[in-house]
Amino acid sequence: VWALARFGFKTAFIGAVGRDAEGEEVLRELEAVRMDLSQVLVTGSTSLALIVLDQKKDRFIVVSPGTAEKALKTFRPGQVEGWLHLSSLVSEEGFSFHKRLVALALGISLDPGEIYAARGFEALSPLLRKTVYLFLTQKELESLGGETSGFWALGIKALFIKQGAKGAALVTRQGLQAFPAASPPQIVDNTGAGDFFNAGVLAALAWGHPLEEAIEIGLKTAAESLRDYGRRGYPGREEFLNWVRK
């Protein structure tokens, strides 16, 4: 959502941050891209992720859930306008909140990550039934049963399988198409590349591009994100639009 705001989309964040220095920093970063924060709870301690890079520039992530998510147990957000994109929350309160939240949306895109995928297909079905575009890694697909046929019965239109350096695959009712990864200008840090892929795909789809073009734009976006740590090397609107034009 931060990337989509950088591209010029009108965005909002619905969730919770802590009443601490980390929460203040999160809100400052989101305010800087003019994001609507009117449906953010500020309470408890902020969820944190410790990201460790090894010499091969791969990473592992240790998550500390904090306590802010617990306030979502009784949070009743206002009407959800526009498109809703979800990634996973850590706590049971967060998952229950997401199940209530999707009921307010006309359609969603979902990147469950390993946290939600580990819950299994049945547990995740309340979210999947509202999902139009689903983003998964191969490992997460296997956690959900390894088969794609069950997704179409729920109304999912397209599945984007993220394959890292191999690129990505687009799966629809008509079959599977493989797309090679775009060449990165430099590999410094791959943290967040999957989320930047999501942002590129969703931006392209919002502008009316077909699925095949959207996945290629997503791959380009992910590759460019590798050039610096975290969000520091991420493009602004004009650079992104230049990729789309090409």
Side-chain angles (χ1 to χ4, degrees):
V1 72
W2 180 89
L4 289 167
R6 288 263 291 180
F7 298 159
F9 285 91
K10 182 180 179 182
T11 61
F13 175 66
I14 305 174
V17 299
R19 195 176 296 278
D20 49 26
E22 291 82 7
E24 291 174 2
E25 178 62 23
V26 169
L27 295 179
R28 275 197 298 270
E29 289 191 17
L30 300 184
E31 286 170 350
V33 290
R34 300 180 180 180
M35 195 176 299
D36 178 357
L37 302 177
S38 61
Q39 298 204 66
V40 177
L41 294 177
V42 181
T43 182
S45 58
T46 303
S47 301
L48 301 176
L50 174 64
I51 301 169
V52 181
L53 304 179
D54 70 13
Q55 291 181 346
K56 297 180 180 179
K57 302 299 188 295
D58 207 343
R59 80 241 183 268
F60 67 87
I61 303 175
V62 181
V63 176
S64 172
T67 62
E69 278 188 24
K70 294 186 179 297
L72 296 174
K73 182 176 182 179
T74 57
F75 182 40
R76 294 291 185 272
Q79 184 61 41
V80 176
E81 297 180 1
W83 194 259
L84 179 65
H85 178 72
L86 294 185
S87 57
S88 57
L89 294 172
V90 178
S91 65
E92 287 300 323
E93 292 88 350
F95 185 55
S96 296
F97 168 68
H98 271 168
K99 288 190 287 186
R100 297 197 309 274
L101 186 62
V102 297
L104 304 175
L106 295 177
I108 71 169
S109 50
L110 172 65
D111 187 336
E114 292 187 21
I115 293 173
Y116 274 7
R119 291 177 175 269
F121 187 90
E122 288 301 319
L124 210 57
S125 59
L127 305 186
L128 294 173
R129 279 195 290 268
K130 298 287 289 192
T131 298
V132 179
Y133 302 118
L134 179 61
F135 297 88
L136 295 172
T137 64
Q138 188 64 44
K139 181 179 179 181
E140 291 157 6
L141 177 60
E142 291 168 4
S143 295
L144 293 174
E147 298 292 332
T148 61
S149 56
F151 295 137
W152 318 134
L154 295 175
I156 293 172
K157 182 178 179 180
L159 166 62
F160 299 92
I161 302 178
K162 296 179 283 187
Q163 300 170 325
K166 294 180 180 179
L170 169 64
V171 188
T172 65
R173 286 178 180 271
Q174 287 69 46
L176 182 148
Q177 294 175 266
F179 295 80
S183 299
Q186 184 181 6
I187 301 178
V188 174
D189 177 17
N190 64 5
T191 306
D195 290 313
F196 291 134
F197 171 84
N198 298 351
V201 169
L202 292 173
L205 293 173
W207 285 330
H209 290 264
L211 293 169
E212 294 79 7
E213 289 182 8
I215 197 170
E216 291 185 345
I217 292 170
L219 287 166
K220 172 66 173 175
T221 306
E224 294 289 335
S225 76
L226 305 180
R227 61 191 176 185
D228 206 341
Y229 292 102
R231 293 189 287 269
R232 282 190 279 183
Y234 207 58
R237 177 177 171 83
E238 287 308 312
E239 186 177 3
F240 179 76
L241 287 175
N242 284 336
W243 303 343
V244 176
R245 292 186 190 106
K246 290 177 182 179

